[in-house]
Amino acid sequence: MSILTISICFLFFLFFLSRKEKWFHPGVIMTAYWIGLIFFASLQLFGLYSISNWAYLVFVVGLSSFCFGTLYGSFFSAKISMSRKKEYVLDYRLIYILYFIVILFLLYNFKNVMELLNSGYTWAKIRRLYSNQGQVSGYNEVTMSAFNVMMNQFVSTPTIYASLPIAVSDMLIGKKDKKLFGMTLIMMFLWMMTSGGRSIVLWLVLYLFFGIFIVKKRNFQIPKKVKKIMRYSIIPLVFVFVFITVQRKGESMNLLREAYIYFPVGLKNFDYHIQQFENSLQPYLGGASSFYGFIYPIIFILKQIGIMDYPQWILDSRYYSFTILEPNSFIGLDMNAYATIMYQPYLDGGILGVVIILLLFGILCGYYYKKIDTKYIQARNLAIYLFFLQKILFSQVRFYFTQTQQSIAFIIIIIAFVSQSSFRNRISFIRERRN
């Protein structure tokens, strides 16, 4: 079944190339990426168990839906572009205020983590405690308080996730604001040191790689100063990435084994957990799992003001989307957390949920691909498309809008850019008030 799955991926890959799509088209990247992952998963290295035919079938159906979605999204985007066109600019004042608040918050947390490390805590323990935040009401010696957890989930981490594609799009085709890029790097460093997380370095490198190639294809010239800033900012972040990795895993870690677990093994973990879900006889969650990240903040606010308590369906969504994935599952080797982009949609409606949700995600990716596949690229569209590309190139992990932080990050990117007409009106209003 692995050979058939790879063959279908390859046929979609050839189909997109036959349409003369760019190599950064979402369908091209998704199919090429998963050809590699499925191939290595089929080798069953390090004792990995074989993947069931059902899991392969669900994956093929989901991939097909995504690919068809990209086609419809591109067509829809082209039709809208012919009828109307808005100019968007980054609201630097809003971004500066938000970043300043996050930096102050992270400095406070940084001080606490350094004290814990000096008292004998390890980076592995720091990461475990940070990741085990639970609901906003749950906290520990790293997260410290319910308010701290709330700030991490709803403000700090989403802002950092959003800041990466915003900074890259601004440096490449925006104002090239050094203050904005500098504040982004400070937030990244502080977040990595306080959470033990490392993935944002990979994301930034990915954003820069794709952003530069997308911009170069449109004959944009990247100033030498911008190249220098990017080059010398990445080196120390990579050093921090390696340092935290060694501290968390130990110097004796098997790098190849870690990479194998990080990338291809998620498909087997998906296979294992959908079988567990079906055996539990739990009803499908109807979208609450895939879009938990958008739903949970609303339910949280309603709970805080006394309108309602957490309904059972939101608790079930959290349990099956997160809690059940945290303990290690033995699938030939120990694996947790990563269950692929298909997992949460499957929880929502089985194979039908995978079809609908992957189709919608494909439409969004195709829509914004068409927005940047043009002679004139807006920074807003580039930031959004880079954000989606990261979800594709880490699709071995999860459907990302199940995370509150990722969902709010998407909203931040949307509101960070305002239409040029409304921005001018706002500036005129402020000047009038001053006079």
Side-chain angles (χ1 to χ4, degrees):
M1 190 66 178
S2 62
I3 296 174
L4 179 60
T5 305
I6 290 173
S7 300
I8 293 171
C9 289
F10 189 65
L11 286 175
F12 273 112
F13 177 76
L14 291 178
F15 170 73
F16 286 119
L17 292 185
S18 70
R19 288 170 51 87
K20 298 183 179 179
E21 301 290 3
K22 305 296 190 300
W23 64 270
F24 48 81
H25 182 279
V28 173
I29 293 173
M30 179 71 96
T31 52
Y33 185 59
W34 276 97
I35 286 171
L37 293 189
I38 293 169
F39 170 75
F40 282 107
S42 68
L43 296 179
Q44 297 177 239
L45 302 178
F46 303 103
L48 179 67
Y49 293 161
S50 62
I51 298 166
S52 71
N53 290 341
W54 176 246
Y56 277 126
L57 176 62
V58 174
F59 176 83
V60 166
V61 170
L63 180 79
S64 302
S65 295
F66 174 82
C67 290
F68 287 124
T70 63
L71 295 173
Y72 181 76
S74 296
F75 173 77
F76 185 63
S77 178
K79 295 286 284 186
I80 290 180
S81 297
M82 291 171 64
S83 59
R84 58 179 180 174
K85 189 174 182 180
K86 278 189 176 181
E87 298 283 340
Y88 288 90
V89 293
L90 186 61
D91 190 339
Y92 289 94
R93 180 174 298 186
L94 173 65
I95 290 297
Y96 290 156
I97 293 171
L98 182 59
Y99 286 11
F100 182 71
I101 293 170
V102 170
I103 288 171
L104 289 180
F105 171 74
L106 290 173
L107 282 170
Y108 171 70
N109 282 268
F110 178 73
K111 178 177 176 293
N112 175 59
V113 168
M114 290 301 104
E115 290 173 353
L116 291 174
L117 289 171
N118 288 334
S119 68
Y121 280 60
T122 63
W123 280 107
K125 187 172 183 179
I126 294 292
R127 181 59 181 173
R128 187 168 63 251
L129 290 170
Y130 179 87
S131 300
N132 192 30
Q133 294 182 37
Q135 299 285 356
V136 169
S137 57
Y139 53 91
N140 50 50
E141 52 266 50
V142 171
T143 53
M144 294 186 288
S145 68
F147 173 77
N148 210 37
V149 175
M150 183 182 70
M151 280 290 293
N152 266 318
Q153 285 194 6
F154 299 153
V155 181
S156 173
T157 303
T159 299
I160 293 163
Y161 289 171
S163 71
L164 305 182
I166 288 175
V168 171
S169 65
D170 181 71
M171 291 297 285
L172 293 176
I173 56 176
K175 186 180 171 183
K176 301 173 177 56
D177 189 87
K178 293 181 182 178
K179 188 189 298 184
L180 179 78
F181 198 75
M183 293 176 81
T184 302
L185 295 178
I186 291 170
M187 288 192 298
M188 285 183 67
F189 173 78
L190 291 173
W191 185 83
M192 291 171 68
M193 297 301 288
T194 55
S195 70
R198 305 157 295 166
S199 56
I200 57 174
V201 174
L202 295 178
W203 297 354
L204 181 61
V205 172
L206 182 148
Y207 291 144
L208 285 169
F209 176 79
F210 280 95
I212 289 170
F213 272 94
I214 290 170
V215 166
K216 276 190 172 183
K217 285 288 183 182
R218 300 292 165 263
N219 296 320
F220 283 95
Q221 294 299 319
I222 303 172
K224 290 183 179 179
K225 282 188 178 181
V226 172
K227 292 180 181 179
K228 189 175 181 180
I229 291 171
M230 290 179 175
R231 188 184 304 121
Y232 288 108
S233 61
I234 290 296
I235 293 172
L237 287 173
V238 170
F239 174 79
V240 175
F241 175 90
V242 173
F243 172 76
I244 292 176
T245 300
V246 171
Q247 291 297 316
R248 279 176 54 180
K249 301 292 184 179
E251 294 181 5
S252 60
M253 71 171 182
N254 186 328
L255 187 59
L256 288 176
R257 187 176 186 276
E258 289 297 321
Y260 193 70
I261 291 173
Y262 195 88
F263 290 100
V265 176
L267 189 56
K268 178 56 190 175
N269 206 33
F270 163 72
D271 181 18
Y272 174 82
H273 280 287
I274 62 173
Q275 291 182 37
Q276 297 297 308
F277 180 76
E278 294 292 359
N279 292 339
S280 72
L281 302 180
Q282 165 71 31
Y284 293 124
L285 300 170
S289 176
S290 298
F291 302 107
Y292 179 91
F294 292 110
I295 298 169
Y296 173 67
I298 298 171
I299 302 294
F300 170 77
I301 293 171
L302 294 176
K303 182 180 186 298
Q304 298 308 307
I305 60 180
I307 293 180
M308 64 183 296
D309 203 346
Y310 292 121
Q312 188 59 45
W313 56 267
I314 201 75
L315 297 176
D316 289 341
S317 298
R318 180 171 187 85
Y319 176 74
Y320 286 103
S321 301
F322 300 101
T323 308
I324 203 170
L325 294 176
E326 285 308 315
N328 282 335
S329 305
F330 186 74
I331 50 179
L333 38 70
D334 288 330
M335 177 66 177
N336 73 333
Y338 294 5
T340 80
I341 193 174
M342 309 292 173
Y343 176 66
Q344 283 79 21
Y346 189 90
L347 297 181
D348 285 325
I351 199 164
L352 180 61
V354 171
V355 169
I356 294 171
I357 293 171
L358 267 293
L359 179 70
L360 292 174
F361 182 56
I363 290 171
L364 273 176
C365 291
Y367 179 86
Y368 280 101
Y369 165 75
K370 205 65 179 178
K371 293 290 186 185
I372 58 95
D373 185 30
T374 179
K375 289 183 179 180
Y376 175 71
I377 306 174
Q378 292 195 46
R380 177 181 184 261
N381 294 331
L382 179 60
I384 293 173
Y385 188 65
L386 291 175
F387 187 74
F388 286 151
L389 278 183
Q390 180 269 319
K391 310 298 173 270
I392 294 172
L393 284 170
F394 285 80
S395 54
Q396 82 280 7
V397 180
R398 63 178 63 87
F399 186 80
Y400 271 93
F401 292 120
T402 195
Q403 287 188 319
T404 302
Q405 297 95 326
Q406 292 284 352
S407 301
I408 296 176
F410 180 59
I411 295 171
I412 290 173
I413 295 173
I414 295 294
I415 65 176
F417 292 89
V418 295
S419 66
Q420 207 161 42
S421 58
S422 63
F423 185 76
R424 286 170 180 166
N425 292 338
R426 190 188 307 172
I427 296 297
S428 299
F429 176 76
I430 293 170
R431 287 173 178 170
E432 288 174 7
R433 290 290 299 268
R434 285 177 177 175
N435 293 335

